[in-house]
Amino acid sequence: MNTFSMPQEKERSKSLIVKSNDLIESNLKGFTLVQTKLLNLAISKLTPETPIGHWFDFEASYLLEKLNMGEGNHKELRKATLDMLRGVEVKQGNKIMQRPLIVTDYIMGEGVVRFRFDHDVQPFLVDLKERFTKYYFENIQRLSSTYAIRLYELLKQYQKIGKRDLSLDDIRFYLDVPVGSYVRFNDFKRKVLEISQREINQKTDISISFDPLKTGRKITGITFYINSQKRPIQPEEIQPDMIGGFDECEEEAIKYIIKYCSISK
């Protein structure tokens, strides 16, 4: 069995995520930011040849670096991985179906995290012929909220169309916004939509804007506008030694420039 480590990942140079649109339009109940990234990173390792029930092993040091958690944050990583055994709610017509998602295990003493996708969910992730969306993990790697990641996926679906209308109820469901939170639209706009918009525009391969949709005088939905962009770096341009490099973030670019100038002196 392969154990994923950073050198191996650098040889691959990029991590492609392919998901059924039904899974993107599901509700990941209670997944934290770290768990959302862990899930998507694990998805990127699936191939059409992956057997149902196959276990993937990841070195903890690899995950800590890919998730920008810091070298020694093993306790938080272990906590996140051991709390991922929960279901996903998938909308199918007028019904919401509950499906198990992923099984995880943290092997103490070896620094290895294991993942296995449930047999009911894996078909939503491999060998898809229609109604699927794909993107590179590097586009969500530096996003700092689950709202931004989920919104990115929902709008990435419609990148070629350039526009998507969503009801407020659907947005709240897809983003797993807690019931009773941000009830006033202005709060929802400021705390969820605008913060996610800034992150997506600064750190991914699409840029978005939005306008409210009204039914009478009441705001009941959002029209999103989606454009492609080459910021900060397109996955096709990533070189093996640039994974997680300074081009992913302006702050890292500044650090690099300062270091380069110091060396030049």
Side-chain angles (χ1 to χ4, degrees):
M1 181 179 296
N2 290 334
T3 299
F4 290 98
S5 59
M6 189 54 64
Q8 181 183 32
E9 179 66 16
K10 286 184 177 182
E11 290 176 5
R12 295 185 59 185
S13 84
K14 51 194 175 185
S15 302
L16 182 65
I17 296 168
V18 182
K19 284 185 182 180
S20 162
N21 289 344
D22 288 334
L23 190 58
I24 286 179
E25 295 174 358
S26 65
N27 181 288
L28 296 176
K29 276 290 184 185
F31 267 63
T32 66
L33 176 64
V34 170
Q35 290 169 338
T36 301
K37 289 184 178 181
L38 276 170
L39 172 64
N40 284 295
L41 187 60
I43 289 172
S44 75
K45 308 308 175 188
L46 288 168
T47 71
E49 292 75 34
T50 302
I52 298 294
H54 178 76
W55 283 96
F56 293 94
D57 285 6
F58 293 82
E59 289 183 0
S61 57
Y62 163 81
L63 293 177
L64 290 170
E65 183 167 346
K66 289 291 284 186
L67 302 177
N68 302 314
M69 294 180 67
E71 293 182 3
N73 210 351
H74 289 264
K75 184 177 180 180
E76 286 302 313
L77 177 62
R78 180 172 179 269
K79 179 181 177 182
T81 57
L82 294 181
D83 189 33
M84 289 181 70
L85 183 58
R86 58 170 66 94
V88 58
E89 292 183 355
V90 181
K91 276 190 173 182
Q92 295 181 338
N94 294 326
K95 297 181 180 179
I96 297 179
M97 310 296 290
Q98 184 84 14
R99 292 285 184 269
L101 183 58
I102 190 170
V103 178
T104 60
D105 189 18
Y106 194 106
I107 304 176
M108 297 295 292
E110 296 183 22
V112 172
V113 180
R114 309 188 77 201
F115 291 88
R116 175 174 60 80
F117 289 95
D118 187 86
H119 66 277
D120 284 335
V121 171
Q122 193 160 321
F124 287 92
L125 300 169
V126 296
D127 201 22
L128 300 170
K129 307 299 183 186
E130 59 183 13
R131 282 188 49 77
F132 66 89
T133 299
K134 58 183 180 180
Y135 64 88
Y136 290 119
F137 176 79
E138 287 72 23
N139 282 300
I140 66 168
Q141 186 175 17
R142 296 186 181 276
L143 297 182
S144 61
S145 76
T146 56
Y147 295 152
I149 293 175
R150 298 292 284 149
L151 188 60
Y152 169 81
E153 290 185 327
L154 289 166
L155 301 184
K156 184 71 175 178
Q157 281 182 270
Y158 281 65
Q159 182 176 358
K160 291 184 179 179
I161 298 173
K163 177 182 176 181
R164 181 169 195 180
D165 293 343
L166 288 169
S167 71
L168 288 181
D169 287 342
D170 279 347
I171 296 172
R172 288 178 174 276
F173 174 81
Y174 298 147
L175 271 57
D176 192 27
V177 178
V179 176
S181 297
Y182 314 121
V183 177
R184 296 177 62 251
F185 176 74
N186 283 341
D187 293 335
F188 183 69
K189 175 183 175 183
R190 182 166 50 90
K191 295 288 189 178
V192 177
L193 297 179
E194 290 182 344
I195 291 177
S196 298
Q197 177 191 25
R198 284 197 297 271
E199 279 221 288
I200 289 170
N201 290 351
Q202 291 172 4
K203 301 175 182 178
T204 77
D205 59 350
I206 61 173
S207 65
I208 66 170
S209 57
F210 60 88
D211 289 321
L213 284 172
K214 291 186 176 181
T215 302
R217 301 179 62 181
K218 183 180 180 181
I219 297 173
T220 55
I222 300 290
T223 296
F224 291 97
Y225 305 95
I226 310 113
N227 292 291
S228 302
Q229 65 172 357
K230 295 186 71 173
R231 181 197 299 271
I233 184 168
Q234 288 289 77
E236 290 80 3
E237 300 170 351
I238 295 177
Q239 300 300 317
D241 61 347
M242 290 177 64
I243 290 295
F246 67 90
D247 289 276
E248 292 286 335
C249 178
E250 291 180 2
E251 179 180 343
E252 294 301 315
I254 293 171
K255 291 179 181 178
Y256 176 87
I257 293 169
I258 292 173
K259 181 178 179 181
Y260 178 83
C261 291
S262 299
I263 294 172
S264 298
K265 290 179 181 179

